[in-house]
Amino acid sequence: MIFTEYKNTVRWLIIAVSFVLVSLILWNTYVFFQNFKAEETTKMKIWAKAQKELSKNTDLNEDIGELSIEILQSNKTTPMIIMSQDGSYDSNNIEEKKANDSIYIKRLISKFKNEYEPIQVVYKDEVLSTIYYGNSPLLNKLKYYPLALLLIIILFSAVIFFFYRSNKNASQNKLWSGMAKETAHQIGTPLSSLIGWAELLKTEQVNPNYITEIEKDIDRLQTITERFSKIGSVPTLEIVDIIEETVDSFDYLKARSSNLIHFEMKIPDDEIPVYLNKQLYSWAIENLVKNAIDAMKGRGNLTIEISQLEDNVKVKVTDTGKGILKKDFRKIFEPGYTTKRRGWGLGLSLTRRIIEDFHDGKIKVLHSEIGKGSTIQISLKRA
């Protein structure tokens, strides 16, 4: 108990530290981006002053200072538009083809206004031009860096989560497999004793029908023992008639169910060979039939229909029970999901594993209507 609490504390501590580190990285990136933008503004103000010197010296017919020329020529990254008072404009660091498109320039000016405050070039209280400028390509790339970093962190966290979850599921599967094999082992001892008592009863004056029924239940216990012993191991499949196997399971449950349930089977006349493990397949049918009986609360109609379409075989179990909500069609096959007060929620999840994992088939809720019943369909390939 103390070890478990310690592990949980360490886990939450790691999560908290990771969250703090991520927050610091994102914050530092944001501060860096803002500082970069401030430097871009400062650089453009210096460039505007150089532009002002250029305009002043041109008016006075003086030589242009080398420093101003160097400043004007040094900015090769910041896209800018210099708009004169007469409506004419010039551009820097913008593709020539786009720079000649007046509509594009108007959209660009609107965008630049949202990124930076325009700079006016003023000489003798007269606005000579207005400079509109935006983020350099480097700044635009840097702007998406926090999002990329966040995405990487999310993906990394998802990988850790699924790795942890798969390890946990693997541990649980080993635990369940071990419990199932131990259960089979524990059942084996009293089962052997029951077989001996059944043989002894045959020598006594006992109604043979009673002995026959006892032997049927003993056979059933042997089947259940085999089922549990196969959990966690790869089952052996053999070619059998799916109709015969389904009828055997159906008849056994029918004889031990309420007389208020009307059982019906719709099956073809010809055999349908399928690769099956008899014990596990009968377990799947038994789970579906018991689930249908529970849904009807021991009263109603239960039908099993077998049909074949080309290379596939369909086994449909239909009841007239309470029905299933559409949003729960997939959920009912998840381990632990149950609507019963005393249910474990393992029957249908085990059935799905038997059909899909062991027999490479499919199982789904084919149709359901609240208050009228449900149909669950198994699909298997023909041998």
Side-chain angles (χ1 to χ4, degrees):
M1 182 68 179
I2 296 174
F3 180 69
T4 303
E5 291 178 356
Y6 174 75
K7 284 180 65 178
N8 288 333
T9 302
V10 171
R11 186 181 300 132
W12 282 110
L13 183 62
I14 292 173
I15 292 172
V17 171
S18 301
F19 179 77
V20 171
L21 289 175
V22 170
S23 300
L24 288 174
I25 292 171
L26 293 176
W27 172 253
N28 286 331
T29 304
Y30 173 77
V31 171
F32 179 66
F33 181 74
Q34 294 302 320
N35 291 338
F36 215 142
K37 286 193 71 173
E39 289 184 7
E40 192 82 3
T41 301
T42 302
K43 183 171 69 173
M44 284 305 303
K45 286 181 178 179
I46 295 173
W47 197 91
K49 287 181 180 180
Q51 182 73 16
K52 177 181 176 180
E53 290 296 320
L54 175 64
S55 302
K56 181 174 68 174
N57 291 337
T58 301
D59 291 342
L60 297 176
N61 295 319
E62 297 178 359
D63 292 334
I64 302 173
E66 291 183 5
L67 179 60
S68 297
I69 294 176
E70 187 174 345
I71 291 172
L72 292 173
Q73 292 178 345
S74 64
N75 195 330
K76 298 180 180 180
T77 58
T78 307
M80 66 185 80
I81 300 169
I82 304 96
M83 183 68 69
S84 302
Q85 290 299 98
D86 59 3
S88 60
Y89 66 88
D90 195 8
S91 63
N92 272 354
N93 303 319
I94 299 176
E95 292 182 23
E96 184 178 353
K97 185 177 180 181
K98 293 181 178 179
N100 295 328
D101 187 347
S102 59
I103 297 176
Y104 174 79
I105 291 297
K106 287 181 180 179
R107 288 202 304 266
L108 204 56
I109 288 174
S110 178
K111 177 186 175 184
F112 287 168
K113 283 181 180 179
N114 293 328
E115 293 178 354
Y116 297 95
E117 186 72 24
I119 298 175
Q120 292 182 333
V121 179
V122 182
Y123 178 62
K124 293 182 180 181
D125 297 329
E126 180 184 354
V127 178
L128 300 179
S129 59
T130 303
I131 302 174
Y132 301 94
Y133 64 102
N135 292 329
S136 64
L138 179 61
L139 263 177
N140 283 328
K141 292 177 181 178
L142 187 62
K143 181 169 60 177
Y144 296 107
Y145 175 74
L147 293 176
L149 181 64
L150 190 60
L151 181 61
I152 291 171
I153 292 169
I154 290 173
L155 291 174
F156 183 70
S157 301
V159 169
I160 293 175
F161 171 75
F162 285 115
F163 177 75
Y164 171 77
R165 187 176 179 181
S166 61
N167 279 347
K168 185 177 179 181
N169 289 338
S171 299
Q172 289 178 343
N173 287 336
K174 288 181 180 178
L175 176 63
W176 284 112
S177 298
M179 289 179 63
K181 291 181 182 297
E182 180 62 21
T183 301
H185 177 71
Q186 294 294 334
I187 292 175
T189 302
L191 182 58
S192 299
S193 179
L194 285 174
I195 293 172
W197 282 109
E199 291 298 323
L200 184 61
L201 286 175
K202 290 180 181 179
T203 63
E204 303 292 333
Q205 299 297 322
V206 179
N207 189 331
N209 292 330
Y210 296 162
I211 297 176
T212 300
E213 291 302 318
I214 290 173
E215 287 179 336
K216 285 183 180 179
D217 286 331
I218 289 174
D219 289 340
R220 196 65 179 176
L221 282 172
Q222 287 178 322
T223 300
I224 292 171
T225 303
E226 289 182 18
R227 290 173 181 173
F228 277 100
S229 66
K230 293 180 186 298
I231 294 296
S233 58
V234 179
T236 302
L237 304 182
E238 55 183 325
I239 298 178
V240 296
D241 179 17
I242 192 173
I243 295 176
E244 181 181 350
E245 296 304 318
T246 307
V247 170
D248 287 346
S249 300
F250 186 79
D251 288 344
Y252 179 84
L253 294 169
K254 180 180 177 181
R256 286 157 179 77
S257 300
S258 169
N259 292 328
L260 299 177
I261 297 177
H262 174 67
F263 289 86
E264 182 182 3
M265 284 208 72
K266 299 179 180 179
I267 56 177
D269 296 329
D270 299 329
E271 294 183 355
I272 303 178
V274 176
Y275 282 104
L276 290 180
N277 180 279
K278 294 181 180 181
Q279 290 80 16
L280 293 181
Y281 175 74
S282 65
W283 199 356
I285 294 298
E286 183 178 317
N287 285 337
L288 291 180
V289 171
K290 286 183 176 180
N291 191 71
I293 292 173
D294 289 339
M296 295 187 295
K297 296 182 179 179
R299 181 192 297 266
N301 299 323
L302 194 150
T303 304
I304 291 186
E305 181 181 356
I306 301 177
S307 60
Q308 55 180 326
L309 180 64
E310 296 180 356
D311 296 332
N312 292 323
V313 182
K314 310 289 185 184
V315 180
K316 299 176 186 176
V317 179
T318 303
D319 62 65
T320 55
K322 59 185 178 181
I324 305 167
L325 293 173
K326 192 169 185 179
K327 65 182 182 67
D328 294 332
F329 277 14
R330 292 181 178 272
K331 194 181 295 184
I332 64 170
F333 295 106
E334 295 177 1
Y337 179 83
T338 181
T339 57
K340 306 170 191 175
R341 291 184 178 180
R342 298 182 180 179
W344 286 76
L346 296 176
L348 289 179
S349 64
L350 181 60
T351 301
R352 181 178 68 174
R353 184 174 182 182
I354 290 172
I355 297 301
E356 296 187 355
D357 294 350
F358 295 153
H359 291 86
D360 195 26
K362 296 292 182 183
I363 183 170
K364 65 179 180 179
V365 179
L366 186 64
H367 172 75
S368 185
E369 191 173 346
I370 299 300
K372 293 187 177 181
S374 307
T375 298
I376 295 181
Q377 176 180 277
I378 294 173
S379 299
L380 296 169
K381 295 180 181 178
R382 291 192 57 179

